[in-house]
Amino acid sequence: MNIQENISLKEYNTFGINVNAKRFVSIDSFYSLQQLLKIEKDVFLISGGSNMLLTKDIDKLVVHINMKGISIDRESNNEIYLTVNAGENWHEFVLWCVSQNYGGLENLSLIPGNVGTCPIQNIGAYGVEVKDTITRVEAIEIQTGKLIEFSNTECEFGYRNSIFKNIQKGKYIITAVSFKLTKNQHKLNSTYGAIETELSLKNIKNPTIKDISDAIITIRQSKLPDPKKIGNSGSFFKNPVISRAHFLNLKEEFPEIPNYPISKDTVKVPAGWLIEKSGFKGKRFGAYGVHEKQALVLVNYGGATGGEIYELAQKIQSTIKNKFSIDLEIEVNII
Ligand code: EPU
């Protein structure tokens, strides 16, 4: 185990924030992770680094989760069960599934991050959430070093949420995730407006999972910044859910407000629209700002500090509160 000192975390977080880890270790096997936890339990985990805003140097031992490998557990004519180690890159895994004609994850193409973190916030895009395919999550309990398995139900998945993000936060290290995917008769999800438009532009009437994946890659590339070029963490805020009465009030003032009914009494409104309406879309403040094509994404053009971006996020929150009486919840972990 090679513990290094004073390592920059710039390459390990998609925001590209340059803070230092006092001590840093990259872990590539389950065994070394268990050994490490015997000597050090107070650790800071980093995997794909795609859902965090680092605002300061990290004093704890930073553990980079880098276990690779995909294994097939069992398969029938129609389904396949796979277990994937936490350090696999998410998008590469999705592309591999698509190339094998394993269906279920194609709508989640091009989401940054690693497989081990996909259950934590139950990643979702274009009408699909990863919870729809996860059968099992395998994790080490930090205090005891024991291996624990969580069924799909035990993960208590919700919109950008799971037990790993709230009641069990910081207790476990996810080491592997198991998925159930389809081998034929795929349940295609192409109803999201932009997908249909993209498919019809290409004149595709009976799409394959590859067609859907390609369409989503095109859509995402057209409005979301590539973290390798412009630092970002995807959607910075959650889409807020407000009461129907509150929504109807807003609709009087803003008849065009996009909305998705959630229940009889609640409505989800897109944070991106609220932020755009408040004049922040495309605003640049030196090295950081709000993305020009998607207002839900805060960006680091290079050299910004996490503190600066966090301040901008708070400014957006207070503006939205004043203008719409809505509390915007930050989706990214602020460290
Ligand atoms: N909108 C604006 N201005 C903007 C952005 C969006 O007016 O700058 C409006 C759009 O016109 C549309 C609505 O907001 O009417 C929704 O926009 P979009 O379809 O782009 O989706 P979103 O709600 O902004 C969510 C997810 C994304 C995911 C997309 C597609 C959350 C917090 N975000 O964004 O997830 O890719 O749907 O499914 O739920 C992520 O979590 O990192 C992420 C990118």
Side-chain angles (χ1 to χ4, degrees), residues 121 124-127 159-160 192 220 223-224 233-235 237-239 258 260 268 270-273 276 281 293-297 331:
Q121 53 150 331
Y126 305 102
Y159 166 60
R160 294 292 192 278
Y192 207 91
R220 287 186 76 97
K223 54 182 184 178
L224 294 168
S233 217
S235 301
F237 302 95
K238 283 188 183 184
N239 285 332
Y260 314 98
K268 193 185 264 187
W273 184 88
E276 177 169 353
K281 190 172 183 172
K293 293 184 192 139
Q294 165 57 287
L296 198 45
V297 179
E331 208 263 303

PDB file of all heavy atoms in Angstrom, residues 121 124-127 159-160 192 220 223-224 233-235 237-239 258 260 268 270-273 276 281 293-297 331, ligand 1:
ATOM      1  N   GLN A 121     -26.451   8.501  -5.066  1.00  0.00           N
ATOM      2  CA  GLN A 121     -27.441   9.537  -5.407  1.00  0.00           C
ATOM      3  C   GLN A 121     -28.427   8.999  -6.429  1.00  0.00           C
ATOM      4  O   GLN A 121     -29.169   9.767  -7.032  1.00  0.00           O
ATOM      5  CB  GLN A 121     -26.760  10.811  -5.883  1.00  0.00           C
ATOM      6  CG  GLN A 121     -25.791  10.589  -7.007  1.00  0.00           C
ATOM      7  CD  GLN A 121     -25.673  11.768  -7.925  1.00  0.00           C
ATOM      8  OE1 GLN A 121     -26.608  12.536  -8.082  1.00  0.00           O
ATOM      9  NE2 GLN A 121     -24.520  11.926  -8.555  1.00  0.00           N
ATOM     10  N   GLY A 124     -29.722   9.528 -12.431  1.00  0.00           N
ATOM     11  CA  GLY A 124     -30.881   9.429 -13.309  1.00  0.00           C
ATOM     12  C   GLY A 124     -30.777  10.420 -14.452  1.00  0.00           C
ATOM     13  O   GLY A 124     -30.168  11.473 -14.310  1.00  0.00           O
ATOM     14  N   ALA A 125     -31.344  10.031 -15.580  1.00  0.00           N
ATOM     15  CA  ALA A 125     -31.413  10.943 -16.720  1.00  0.00           C
ATOM     16  C   ALA A 125     -32.366  10.376 -17.755  1.00  0.00           C
ATOM     17  O   ALA A 125     -32.481   9.155 -17.891  1.00  0.00           O
ATOM     18  CB  ALA A 125     -30.031  11.140 -17.356  1.00  0.00           C
ATOM     19  N   TYR A 126     -33.034  11.271 -18.465  1.00  0.00           N
ATOM     20  CA  TYR A 126     -33.893  10.907 -19.594  1.00  0.00           C
ATOM     21  C   TYR A 126     -34.851   9.751 -19.270  1.00  0.00           C
ATOM     22  O   TYR A 126     -34.947   8.763 -19.985  1.00  0.00           O
ATOM     23  CB  TYR A 126     -33.016  10.641 -20.839  1.00  0.00           C
ATOM     24  CG  TYR A 126     -32.154  11.828 -21.106  1.00  0.00           C
ATOM     25  CD1 TYR A 126     -30.806  11.848 -20.765  1.00  0.00           C
ATOM     26  CD2 TYR A 126     -32.733  12.986 -21.604  1.00  0.00           C
ATOM     27  CE1 TYR A 126     -30.046  13.001 -20.926  1.00  0.00           C
ATOM     28  CE2 TYR A 126     -31.984  14.135 -21.768  1.00  0.00           C
ATOM     29  CZ  TYR A 126     -30.655  14.138 -21.430  1.00  0.00           C
ATOM     30  OH  TYR A 126     -29.912  15.272 -21.580  1.00  0.00           O
ATOM     31  N   GLY A 127     -35.559   9.927 -18.143  1.00  0.00           N
ATOM     32  CA  GLY A 127     -36.636   9.005 -17.805  1.00  0.00           C
ATOM     33  C   GLY A 127     -36.215   7.710 -17.136  1.00  0.00           C
ATOM     34  O   GLY A 127     -37.049   6.842 -16.870  1.00  0.00           O
ATOM     35  N   TYR A 159     -35.566  10.025  -5.478  1.00  0.00           N
ATOM     36  CA  TYR A 159     -35.036  10.964  -6.481  1.00  0.00           C
ATOM     37  C   TYR A 159     -33.703  11.522  -5.984  1.00  0.00           C
ATOM     38  O   TYR A 159     -33.641  12.198  -4.977  1.00  0.00           O
ATOM     39  CB  TYR A 159     -36.055  12.085  -6.732  1.00  0.00           C
ATOM     40  CG  TYR A 159     -35.506  13.286  -7.487  1.00  0.00           C
ATOM     41  CD1 TYR A 159     -34.975  13.153  -8.766  1.00  0.00           C
ATOM     42  CD2 TYR A 159     -35.530  14.550  -6.922  1.00  0.00           C
ATOM     43  CE1 TYR A 159     -34.471  14.250  -9.449  1.00  0.00           C
ATOM     44  CE2 TYR A 159     -35.044  15.662  -7.595  1.00  0.00           C
ATOM     45  CZ  TYR A 159     -34.507  15.496  -8.861  1.00  0.00           C
ATOM     46  OH  TYR A 159     -34.001  16.593  -9.528  1.00  0.00           O
ATOM     47  N   ARG A 160     -32.636  11.170  -6.679  1.00  0.00           N
ATOM     48  CA  ARG A 160     -31.256  11.557  -6.314  1.00  0.00           C
ATOM     49  C   ARG A 160     -30.974  11.264  -4.831  1.00  0.00           C
ATOM     50  O   ARG A 160     -30.353  12.070  -4.126  1.00  0.00           O
ATOM     51  CB  ARG A 160     -31.014  13.047  -6.574  1.00  0.00           C
ATOM     52  CG  ARG A 160     -31.057  13.463  -8.016  1.00  0.00           C
ATOM     53  CD  ARG A 160     -29.881  12.889  -8.798  1.00  0.00           C
ATOM     54  NE  ARG A 160     -29.756  13.509 -10.098  1.00  0.00           N
ATOM     55  CZ  ARG A 160     -30.475  13.158 -11.165  1.00  0.00           C
ATOM     56  NH1 ARG A 160     -31.351  12.185 -11.092  1.00  0.00           N
ATOM     57  NH2 ARG A 160     -30.281  13.762 -12.323  1.00  0.00           N
ATOM     58  N   TYR A 192     -38.782  10.661 -23.525  1.00  0.00           N
ATOM     59  CA  TYR A 192     -38.290  11.994 -23.178  1.00  0.00           C
ATOM     60  C   TYR A 192     -38.131  12.790 -24.472  1.00  0.00           C
ATOM     61  O   TYR A 192     -37.452  12.343 -25.407  1.00  0.00           O
ATOM     62  CB  TYR A 192     -36.942  11.829 -22.471  1.00  0.00           C
ATOM     63  CG  TYR A 192     -36.596  12.931 -21.507  1.00  0.00           C
ATOM     64  CD1 TYR A 192     -36.958  12.821 -20.167  1.00  0.00           C
ATOM     65  CD2 TYR A 192     -35.912  14.049 -21.923  1.00  0.00           C
ATOM     66  CE1 TYR A 192     -36.634  13.818 -19.274  1.00  0.00           C
ATOM     67  CE2 TYR A 192     -35.588  15.054 -21.029  1.00  0.00           C
ATOM     68  CZ  TYR A 192     -35.949  14.929 -19.704  1.00  0.00           C
ATOM     69  OH  TYR A 192     -35.627  15.922 -18.813  1.00  0.00           O
ATOM     70  N   ARG A 220     -26.554  15.177 -24.575  1.00  0.00           N
ATOM     71  CA  ARG A 220     -25.760  15.632 -23.418  1.00  0.00           C
ATOM     72  C   ARG A 220     -24.596  16.502 -23.876  1.00  0.00           C
ATOM     73  O   ARG A 220     -24.296  17.525 -23.255  1.00  0.00           O
ATOM     74  CB  ARG A 220     -25.262  14.445 -22.588  1.00  0.00           C
ATOM     75  CG  ARG A 220     -26.360  13.760 -21.780  1.00  0.00           C
ATOM     76  CD  ARG A 220     -25.798  12.674 -20.870  1.00  0.00           C
ATOM     77  NE  ARG A 220     -25.145  13.228 -19.692  1.00  0.00           N
ATOM     78  CZ  ARG A 220     -25.722  13.366 -18.499  1.00  0.00           C
ATOM     79  NH1 ARG A 220     -26.969  12.973 -18.319  1.00  0.00           N
ATOM     80  NH2 ARG A 220     -25.057  13.868 -17.488  1.00  0.00           N
ATOM     81  N   LYS A 223     -25.529  20.135 -24.545  1.00  0.00           N
ATOM     82  CA  LYS A 223     -25.827  21.142 -23.514  1.00  0.00           C
ATOM     83  C   LYS A 223     -25.081  21.019 -22.195  1.00  0.00           C
ATOM     84  O   LYS A 223     -25.114  21.954 -21.390  1.00  0.00           O
ATOM     85  CB  LYS A 223     -27.332  21.253 -23.287  1.00  0.00           C
ATOM     86  CG  LYS A 223     -28.056  20.004 -22.971  1.00  0.00           C
ATOM     87  CD  LYS A 223     -29.519  20.371 -22.841  1.00  0.00           C
ATOM     88  CE  LYS A 223     -30.373  19.219 -22.435  1.00  0.00           C
ATOM     89  NZ  LYS A 223     -31.749  19.614 -22.273  1.00  0.00           N
ATOM     90  N   LEU A 224     -24.407  19.881 -21.994  1.00  0.00           N
ATOM     91  CA  LEU A 224     -23.662  19.754 -20.738  1.00  0.00           C
ATOM     92  C   LEU A 224     -22.165  19.850 -21.022  1.00  0.00           C
ATOM     93  O   LEU A 224     -21.672  19.233 -21.968  1.00  0.00           O
ATOM     94  CB  LEU A 224     -23.987  18.413 -20.067  1.00  0.00           C
ATOM     95  CG  LEU A 224     -25.425  18.250 -19.576  1.00  0.00           C
ATOM     96  CD1 LEU A 224     -25.720  16.807 -19.196  1.00  0.00           C
ATOM     97  CD2 LEU A 224     -25.696  19.177 -18.402  1.00  0.00           C
ATOM     98  N   SER A 233     -19.828  19.597 -12.116  1.00  0.00           N
ATOM     99  CA  SER A 233     -20.298  18.438 -11.379  1.00  0.00           C
ATOM    100  C   SER A 233     -21.729  18.098 -11.792  1.00  0.00           C
ATOM    101  O   SER A 233     -22.529  17.662 -10.969  1.00  0.00           O
ATOM    102  CB  SER A 233     -20.232  18.759  -9.892  1.00  0.00           C
ATOM    103  OG  SER A 233     -19.860  17.633  -9.192  1.00  0.00           O
ATOM    104  N   GLY A 234     -22.063  18.314 -13.041  1.00  0.00           N
ATOM    105  CA  GLY A 234     -23.433  18.061 -13.508  1.00  0.00           C
ATOM    106  C   GLY A 234     -24.404  19.009 -12.824  1.00  0.00           C
ATOM    107  O   GLY A 234     -24.036  20.130 -12.442  1.00  0.00           O
ATOM    108  N   SER A 235     -25.637  18.556 -12.638  1.00  0.00           N
ATOM    109  CA  SER A 235     -26.636  19.402 -11.975  1.00  0.00           C
ATOM    110  C   SER A 235     -26.145  19.761 -10.578  1.00  0.00           C
ATOM    111  O   SER A 235     -25.895  18.874  -9.770  1.00  0.00           O
ATOM    112  CB  SER A 235     -27.956  18.660 -11.821  1.00  0.00           C
ATOM    113  OG  SER A 235     -28.441  18.275 -13.068  1.00  0.00           O
ATOM    114  N   PHE A 237     -27.911  21.664  -8.428  1.00  0.00           N
ATOM    115  CA  PHE A 237     -29.074  21.702  -7.532  1.00  0.00           C
ATOM    116  C   PHE A 237     -30.055  20.601  -7.921  1.00  0.00           C
ATOM    117  O   PHE A 237     -30.053  20.124  -9.060  1.00  0.00           O
ATOM    118  CB  PHE A 237     -29.799  23.049  -7.650  1.00  0.00           C
ATOM    119  CG  PHE A 237     -28.935  24.237  -7.348  1.00  0.00           C
ATOM    120  CD1 PHE A 237     -28.302  24.934  -8.373  1.00  0.00           C
ATOM    121  CD2 PHE A 237     -28.744  24.655  -6.041  1.00  0.00           C
ATOM    122  CE1 PHE A 237     -27.501  26.036  -8.099  1.00  0.00           C
ATOM    123  CE2 PHE A 237     -27.941  25.765  -5.764  1.00  0.00           C
ATOM    124  CZ  PHE A 237     -27.315  26.452  -6.793  1.00  0.00           C
ATOM    125  N   LYS A 238     -30.920  20.242  -6.967  1.00  0.00           N
ATOM    126  CA  LYS A 238     -32.021  19.320  -7.285  1.00  0.00           C
ATOM    127  C   LYS A 238     -33.163  20.126  -7.868  1.00  0.00           C
ATOM    128  O   LYS A 238     -33.317  21.315  -7.546  1.00  0.00           O
ATOM    129  CB  LYS A 238     -32.537  18.652  -6.012  1.00  0.00           C
ATOM    130  CG  LYS A 238     -31.666  17.552  -5.487  1.00  0.00           C
ATOM    131  CD  LYS A 238     -32.429  16.868  -4.350  1.00  0.00           C
ATOM    132  CE  LYS A 238     -31.620  15.796  -3.695  1.00  0.00           C
ATOM    133  NZ  LYS A 238     -32.378  15.078  -2.674  1.00  0.00           N
ATOM    134  N   ASN A 239     -33.998  19.486  -8.652  1.00  0.00           N
ATOM    135  CA  ASN A 239     -35.216  20.161  -9.101  1.00  0.00           C
ATOM    136  C   ASN A 239     -36.193  20.207  -7.924  1.00  0.00           C
ATOM    137  O   ASN A 239     -36.541  19.168  -7.365  1.00  0.00           O
ATOM    138  CB  ASN A 239     -35.840  19.406 -10.272  1.00  0.00           C
ATOM    139  CG  ASN A 239     -35.078  19.624 -11.567  1.00  0.00           C
ATOM    140  OD1 ASN A 239     -34.442  20.657 -11.748  1.00  0.00           O
ATOM    141  ND2 ASN A 239     -35.136  18.671 -12.472  1.00  0.00           N
ATOM    142  N   PRO A 258     -42.178  25.698 -16.873  1.00  0.00           N
ATOM    143  CA  PRO A 258     -42.275  24.247 -17.111  1.00  0.00           C
ATOM    144  C   PRO A 258     -42.591  23.536 -15.792  1.00  0.00           C
ATOM    145  O   PRO A 258     -42.204  24.017 -14.719  1.00  0.00           O
ATOM    146  CB  PRO A 258     -40.877  23.845 -17.596  1.00  0.00           C
ATOM    147  CG  PRO A 258     -40.120  25.105 -17.814  1.00  0.00           C
ATOM    148  CD  PRO A 258     -40.794  26.183 -17.022  1.00  0.00           C
ATOM    149  N   TYR A 260     -43.772  19.476 -13.805  1.00  0.00           N
ATOM    150  CA  TYR A 260     -44.052  18.041 -13.865  1.00  0.00           C
ATOM    151  C   TYR A 260     -44.840  17.678 -12.617  1.00  0.00           C
ATOM    152  O   TYR A 260     -44.281  17.742 -11.502  1.00  0.00           O
ATOM    153  CB  TYR A 260     -42.744  17.240 -13.909  1.00  0.00           C
ATOM    154  CG  TYR A 260     -41.743  17.789 -14.901  1.00  0.00           C
ATOM    155  CD1 TYR A 260     -40.702  18.642 -14.483  1.00  0.00           C
ATOM    156  CD2 TYR A 260     -41.843  17.489 -16.262  1.00  0.00           C
ATOM    157  CE1 TYR A 260     -39.798  19.175 -15.398  1.00  0.00           C
ATOM    158  CE2 TYR A 260     -40.937  18.011 -17.174  1.00  0.00           C
ATOM    159  CZ  TYR A 260     -39.920  18.857 -16.734  1.00  0.00           C
ATOM    160  OH  TYR A 260     -39.034  19.383 -17.635  1.00  0.00           O
ATOM    161  N   LYS A 268     -43.175  19.391  -9.565  1.00  0.00           N
ATOM    162  CA  LYS A 268     -41.728  19.630  -9.654  1.00  0.00           C
ATOM    163  C   LYS A 268     -41.489  20.705 -10.706  1.00  0.00           C
ATOM    164  O   LYS A 268     -42.117  20.672 -11.768  1.00  0.00           O
ATOM    165  CB  LYS A 268     -41.037  18.334 -10.064  1.00  0.00           C
ATOM    166  CG  LYS A 268     -39.538  18.359  -9.901  1.00  0.00           C
ATOM    167  CD  LYS A 268     -38.897  17.097 -10.440  1.00  0.00           C
ATOM    168  CE  LYS A 268     -38.642  16.085  -9.360  1.00  0.00           C
ATOM    169  NZ  LYS A 268     -37.889  14.929  -9.836  1.00  0.00           N
ATOM    170  N   PRO A 270     -38.355  22.833 -12.868  1.00  0.00           N
ATOM    171  CA  PRO A 270     -36.929  22.703 -13.153  1.00  0.00           C
ATOM    172  C   PRO A 270     -36.104  23.859 -12.576  1.00  0.00           C
ATOM    173  O   PRO A 270     -36.374  25.034 -12.870  1.00  0.00           O
ATOM    174  CB  PRO A 270     -36.832  22.687 -14.673  1.00  0.00           C
ATOM    175  CG  PRO A 270     -38.186  22.892 -15.202  1.00  0.00           C
ATOM    176  CD  PRO A 270     -39.139  23.142 -14.090  1.00  0.00           C
ATOM    177  N   ALA A 271     -35.120  23.473 -11.760  1.00  0.00           N
ATOM    178  CA  ALA A 271     -34.231  24.484 -11.176  1.00  0.00           C
ATOM    179  C   ALA A 271     -33.541  25.282 -12.278  1.00  0.00           C
ATOM    180  O   ALA A 271     -33.325  26.490 -12.144  1.00  0.00           O
ATOM    181  CB  ALA A 271     -33.204  23.799 -10.279  1.00  0.00           C
ATOM    182  N   GLY A 272     -33.220  24.603 -13.393  1.00  0.00           N
ATOM    183  CA  GLY A 272     -32.538  25.280 -14.504  1.00  0.00           C
ATOM    184  C   GLY A 272     -33.349  26.462 -15.011  1.00  0.00           C
ATOM    185  O   GLY A 272     -32.807  27.530 -15.308  1.00  0.00           O
ATOM    186  N   TRP A 273     -34.652  26.277 -15.095  1.00  0.00           N
ATOM    187  CA  TRP A 273     -35.533  27.357 -15.565  1.00  0.00           C
ATOM    188  C   TRP A 273     -35.548  28.518 -14.560  1.00  0.00           C
ATOM    189  O   TRP A 273     -35.460  29.692 -14.932  1.00  0.00           O
ATOM    190  CB  TRP A 273     -36.952  26.808 -15.776  1.00  0.00           C
ATOM    191  CG  TRP A 273     -37.895  27.821 -16.354  1.00  0.00           C
ATOM    192  CD1 TRP A 273     -38.107  28.080 -17.673  1.00  0.00           C
ATOM    193  CD2 TRP A 273     -38.746  28.719 -15.613  1.00  0.00           C
ATOM    194  NE1 TRP A 273     -39.032  29.090 -17.805  1.00  0.00           N
ATOM    195  CE2 TRP A 273     -39.443  29.500 -16.559  1.00  0.00           C
ATOM    196  CE3 TRP A 273     -38.975  28.931 -14.253  1.00  0.00           C
ATOM    197  CZ2 TRP A 273     -40.360  30.475 -16.192  1.00  0.00           C
ATOM    198  CZ3 TRP A 273     -39.882  29.913 -13.874  1.00  0.00           C
ATOM    199  CH2 TRP A 273     -40.569  30.663 -14.836  1.00  0.00           C
ATOM    200  N   GLU A 276     -32.298  30.350 -14.823  1.00  0.00           N
ATOM    201  CA  GLU A 276     -32.246  31.147 -16.073  1.00  0.00           C
ATOM    202  C   GLU A 276     -33.103  32.409 -15.930  1.00  0.00           C
ATOM    203  O   GLU A 276     -32.700  33.512 -16.279  1.00  0.00           O
ATOM    204  CB  GLU A 276     -32.727  30.297 -17.251  1.00  0.00           C
ATOM    205  CG  GLU A 276     -32.762  31.100 -18.535  1.00  0.00           C
ATOM    206  CD  GLU A 276     -32.972  30.277 -19.790  1.00  0.00           C
ATOM    207  OE1 GLU A 276     -32.972  29.036 -19.728  1.00  0.00           O
ATOM    208  OE2 GLU A 276     -33.148  30.908 -20.846  1.00  0.00           O
ATOM    209  N   LYS A 281     -28.030  32.509 -16.101  1.00  0.00           N
ATOM    210  CA  LYS A 281     -27.551  31.583 -17.142  1.00  0.00           C
ATOM    211  C   LYS A 281     -26.419  32.227 -17.953  1.00  0.00           C
ATOM    212  O   LYS A 281     -26.556  33.356 -18.432  1.00  0.00           O
ATOM    213  CB  LYS A 281     -28.706  31.203 -18.065  1.00  0.00           C
ATOM    214  CG  LYS A 281     -28.356  30.066 -19.002  1.00  0.00           C
ATOM    215  CD  LYS A 281     -29.583  29.604 -19.756  1.00  0.00           C
ATOM    216  CE  LYS A 281     -29.292  28.429 -20.634  1.00  0.00           C
ATOM    217  NZ  LYS A 281     -30.523  27.884 -21.194  1.00  0.00           N
ATOM    218  N   LYS A 293     -25.360  26.866 -21.564  1.00  0.00           N
ATOM    219  CA  LYS A 293     -26.432  26.098 -22.209  1.00  0.00           C
ATOM    220  C   LYS A 293     -27.319  25.362 -21.220  1.00  0.00           C
ATOM    221  O   LYS A 293     -28.333  24.786 -21.617  1.00  0.00           O
ATOM    222  CB  LYS A 293     -25.826  25.083 -23.174  1.00  0.00           C
ATOM    223  CG  LYS A 293     -25.143  25.744 -24.346  1.00  0.00           C
ATOM    224  CD  LYS A 293     -24.652  24.686 -25.302  1.00  0.00           C
ATOM    225  CE  LYS A 293     -23.708  25.292 -26.318  1.00  0.00           C
ATOM    226  NZ  LYS A 293     -22.572  24.422 -26.587  1.00  0.00           N
ATOM    227  N   GLN A 294     -26.939  25.294 -19.954  1.00  0.00           N
ATOM    228  CA  GLN A 294     -27.752  24.612 -18.937  1.00  0.00           C
ATOM    229  C   GLN A 294     -27.488  25.297 -17.607  1.00  0.00           C
ATOM    230  O   GLN A 294     -26.422  25.131 -17.014  1.00  0.00           O
ATOM    231  CB  GLN A 294     -27.384  23.112 -18.929  1.00  0.00           C
ATOM    232  CG  GLN A 294     -27.831  22.291 -17.735  1.00  0.00           C
ATOM    233  CD  GLN A 294     -29.315  22.301 -17.454  1.00  0.00           C
ATOM    234  OE1 GLN A 294     -29.843  23.314 -16.978  1.00  0.00           O
ATOM    235  NE2 GLN A 294     -29.981  21.189 -17.716  1.00  0.00           N
ATOM    236  N   ALA A 295     -28.467  26.052 -17.138  1.00  0.00           N
ATOM    237  CA  ALA A 295     -28.266  26.902 -15.959  1.00  0.00           C
ATOM    238  C   ALA A 295     -28.124  26.126 -14.649  1.00  0.00           C
ATOM    239  O   ALA A 295     -27.754  26.686 -13.623  1.00  0.00           O
ATOM    240  CB  ALA A 295     -29.427  27.893 -15.848  1.00  0.00           C
ATOM    241  N   LEU A 296     -28.410  24.828 -14.720  1.00  0.00           N
ATOM    242  CA  LEU A 296     -28.330  23.988 -13.520  1.00  0.00           C
ATOM    243  C   LEU A 296     -26.884  23.574 -13.220  1.00  0.00           C
ATOM    244  O   LEU A 296     -26.597  22.973 -12.187  1.00  0.00           O
ATOM    245  CB  LEU A 296     -29.204  22.749 -13.780  1.00  0.00           C
ATOM    246  CG  LEU A 296     -29.676  21.868 -12.668  1.00  0.00           C
ATOM    247  CD1 LEU A 296     -30.195  22.688 -11.510  1.00  0.00           C
ATOM    248  CD2 LEU A 296     -30.772  20.941 -13.171  1.00  0.00           C
ATOM    249  N   VAL A 297     -26.000  23.890 -14.151  1.00  0.00           N
ATOM    250  CA  VAL A 297     -24.613  23.436 -14.039  1.00  0.00           C
ATOM    251  C   VAL A 297     -23.687  24.622 -13.748  1.00  0.00           C
ATOM    252  O   VAL A 297     -23.618  25.564 -14.533  1.00  0.00           O
ATOM    253  CB  VAL A 297     -24.186  22.733 -15.351  1.00  0.00           C
ATOM    254  CG1 VAL A 297     -22.734  22.277 -15.273  1.00  0.00           C
ATOM    255  CG2 VAL A 297     -25.098  21.543 -15.639  1.00  0.00           C
ATOM    256  N   GLU A 331     -27.348  19.682  -4.743  1.00  0.00           N
ATOM    257  CA  GLU A 331     -27.289  18.241  -4.970  1.00  0.00           C
ATOM    258  C   GLU A 331     -25.875  17.699  -4.760  1.00  0.00           C
ATOM    259  O   GLU A 331     -25.669  16.556  -4.372  1.00  0.00           O
ATOM    260  CB  GLU A 331     -27.768  17.987  -6.412  1.00  0.00           C
ATOM    261  CG  GLU A 331     -28.404  16.647  -6.623  1.00  0.00           C
ATOM    262  CD  GLU A 331     -27.410  15.671  -7.177  1.00  0.00           C
ATOM    263  OE1 GLU A 331     -26.834  15.930  -8.233  1.00  0.00           O
ATOM    264  OE2 GLU A 331     -27.206  14.636  -6.523  1.00  0.00           O
TER     265      GLU A 331
HETATM  266  N1  EPU B   1     -34.462  24.701 -18.507  1.00  0.00           N
HETATM  267  C1  EPU B   1     -34.371  26.065 -18.691  1.00  0.00           C
HETATM  268  N2  EPU B   1     -33.134  26.628 -18.634  1.00  0.00           N
HETATM  269  C2  EPU B   1     -32.000  25.919 -18.427  1.00  0.00           C
HETATM  270  C3  EPU B   1     -32.107  24.524 -18.219  1.00  0.00           C
HETATM  271  C4  EPU B   1     -33.355  23.931 -18.264  1.00  0.00           C
HETATM  272  O1  EPU B   1     -35.353  26.742 -18.898  1.00  0.00           O
HETATM  273  O2  EPU B   1     -30.919  26.507 -18.408  1.00  0.00           O
HETATM  274  C5  EPU B   1     -35.791  24.066 -18.626  1.00  0.00           C
HETATM  275  C6  EPU B   1     -35.868  23.295 -19.935  1.00  0.00           C
HETATM  276  O3  EPU B   1     -36.324  24.093 -20.973  1.00  0.00           O
HETATM  277  C7  EPU B   1     -36.868  22.217 -19.616  1.00  0.00           C
HETATM  278  C8  EPU B   1     -36.636  21.949 -18.143  1.00  0.00           C
HETATM  279  O4  EPU B   1     -35.936  23.081 -17.628  1.00  0.00           O
HETATM  280  O5  EPU B   1     -38.187  22.692 -19.763  1.00  0.00           O
HETATM  281  C9  EPU B   1     -35.896  20.676 -17.872  1.00  0.00           C
HETATM  282  O6  EPU B   1     -34.610  20.727 -18.465  1.00  0.00           O
HETATM  283  P1  EPU B   1     -33.783  19.386 -18.835  1.00  0.00           P
HETATM  284  O7  EPU B   1     -34.630  18.464 -19.607  1.00  0.00           O
HETATM  285  O8  EPU B   1     -32.476  19.808 -19.412  1.00  0.00           O
HETATM  286  O9  EPU B   1     -33.570  18.667 -17.468  1.00  0.00           O
HETATM  287  P2  EPU B   1     -33.211  19.206 -16.017  1.00  0.00           P
HETATM  288  O10 EPU B   1     -34.387  19.090 -15.153  1.00  0.00           O
HETATM  289  O11 EPU B   1     -32.542  20.532 -16.113  1.00  0.00           O
HETATM  290  C10 EPU B   1     -32.560  16.793 -15.166  1.00  0.00           C
HETATM  291  C11 EPU B   1     -31.438  16.179 -14.375  1.00  0.00           C
HETATM  292  C12 EPU B   1     -30.188  15.990 -15.258  1.00  0.00           C
HETATM  293  C13 EPU B   1     -30.573  15.079 -16.414  1.00  0.00           C
HETATM  294  C14 EPU B   1     -31.743  15.732 -17.183  1.00  0.00           C
HETATM  295  C15 EPU B   1     -32.264  14.847 -18.292  1.00  0.00           C
HETATM  296  C16 EPU B   1     -31.787  16.884 -12.065  1.00  0.00           C
HETATM  297  C17 EPU B   1     -31.325  17.751 -10.958  1.00  0.00           C
HETATM  298  N3  EPU B   1     -31.125  17.006 -13.216  1.00  0.00           N
HETATM  299  O12 EPU B   1     -32.116  18.109 -15.556  1.00  0.00           O
HETATM  300  O13 EPU B   1     -29.200  15.338 -14.491  1.00  0.00           O
HETATM  301  O14 EPU B   1     -29.474  14.858 -17.296  1.00  0.00           O
HETATM  302  O15 EPU B   1     -32.842  15.973 -16.281  1.00  0.00           O
HETATM  303  O16 EPU B   1     -32.948  13.757 -17.739  1.00  0.00           O
HETATM  304  O17 EPU B   1     -32.733  16.108 -11.878  1.00  0.00           O
HETATM  305  C18 EPU B   1     -27.206  15.552 -13.190  1.00  0.00           C
HETATM  306  O18 EPU B   1     -27.855  15.127 -12.229  1.00  0.00           O
HETATM  307  O19 EPU B   1     -25.989  15.859 -13.096  1.00  0.00           O
HETATM  308  C19 EPU B   1     -27.884  15.790 -14.457  1.00  0.00           C
HETATM  309  C20 EPU B   1     -27.276  16.400 -15.473  1.00  0.00           C
END
